[in-house]
Amino acid sequence: MIRIIKPGKTDFRMTCDKCGCVQTYMHALENGKPRRRCVDCGHTFNPFVGTIAQGSHLPLNVQIALVYYTINNFSLTDIQQNLRTDYGIELTQGSIISNRHKILAAIEHRFAMPKLSGVVKVDECCFRECQKGAKTLINTVPTAVGER
């Protein structure tokens, strides 16, 4: 599962990013977002740091909707229309694309793709593979059937 909010250890309490202490308290509101302070080290933090909601100005329910729409392969225009009708938010397709890439990068980071090697034969499926920027390219030319 992708973290939208960091899970606390018990009772949905947030843990300190610096020392890991679970004893934190509400310290202040900064731009409408809660800041918490650690009892042990005094470090202040935002519960959204390290999640896909970090740095976003969208409400949490809209971010959850964007995750749902991305996972279920909604088109950009469908996402735009649903956000307009359900949440009253007008987003450009560029901002939807950037949020979608952030969500897909988090999914890819969480569930790493396996490394394929040799000849992979697949029927009627499409797999993304890119060697852009690789220092050594892997030969992708298929060999004769049965050779390894």
Side-chain angles (χ1 to χ4, degrees), residues 76-144:
L76 292 176
T77 54
D78 288 343
I79 293 173
Q80 215 172 16
Q81 183 179 7
N82 287 346
L83 290 177
R84 186 182 310 118
T85 57
D86 295 344
Y87 301 98
I89 291 180
E90 188 71 38
L91 289 179
T92 64
Q93 288 189 351
S95 62
I96 293 172
I97 288 172
S98 66
N99 279 301
R100 181 182 252 177
H101 282 294
K102 186 189 288 188
I103 293 165
L104 291 174
I107 291 171
E108 187 175 348
H109 179 71
R110 175 68 175 93
F111 304 104
M113 296 294 292
K115 299 290 182 188
L116 300 177
S117 62
V119 177
V120 179
K121 296 180 182 180
V122 181
D123 293 331
E124 300 177 11
C125 289
C126 180
F127 291 95
R128 186 186 72 166
E129 194 239 333
C130 179
Q131 296 183 22
K132 183 176 181 180
K135 291 186 178 184
T136 58
L137 296 178
I138 300 170
N139 185 7
T140 58
V141 177
T143 58

Side-chain angles (χ1 to χ4, degrees):
M1 183 170 180
I2 305 167
R3 291 188 323 165
I4 296 177
I5 300 176
K6 283 194 225 173
K9 292 191 177 181
T10 58
D11 300 327
F12 301 106
R13 290 183 288 176
M14 299 293 139
T15 58
C16 177
D17 293 338
K18 193 172 182 181
C19 69
C21 178
V22 295
Q23 294 179 340
T24 62
Y25 62 91
M26 180 71 165
H27 174 64
L29 283 176
E30 182 179 324
N31 298 328
K33 294 181 182 177
R35 298 241 2 126
R36 301 194 64 85
R37 182 179 292 268
C38 177
V39 173
D40 287 348
C41 67
H43 175 68
T44 61
F45 63 96
N46 183 327
F48 297 111
V49 172
T51 67
I52 61 173
Q54 178 179 351
S56 177
H57 297 286
L58 296 174
L60 186 60
N61 58 349
V62 173
Q63 292 175 10
I64 293 171
L66 282 170
V67 171
Y68 174 79
Y69 296 147
T70 301
I71 290 173
N72 290 309
N73 293 325
F74 278 63
S75 68
L76 292 176
T77 54
D78 288 343
I79 293 173
Q80 215 172 16
Q81 183 179 7
N82 287 346
L83 290 177
R84 186 182 310 118
T85 57
D86 295 344
Y87 301 98
I89 291 180
E90 188 71 38
L91 289 179
T92 64
Q93 288 189 351
S95 62
I96 293 172
I97 288 172
S98 66
N99 279 301
R100 181 182 252 177
H101 282 294
K102 186 189 288 188
I103 293 165
L104 291 174
I107 291 171
E108 187 175 348
H109 179 71
R110 175 68 175 93
F111 304 104
M113 296 294 292
K115 299 290 182 188
L116 300 177
S117 62
V119 177
V120 179
K121 296 180 182 180
V122 181
D123 293 331
E124 300 177 11
C125 289
C126 180
F127 291 95
R128 186 186 72 166
E129 194 239 333
C130 179
Q131 296 183 22
K132 183 176 181 180
K135 291 186 178 184
T136 58
L137 296 178
I138 300 170
N139 185 7
T140 58
V141 177
T143 58
V145 177
E147 289 184 19
R148 291 184 185 209

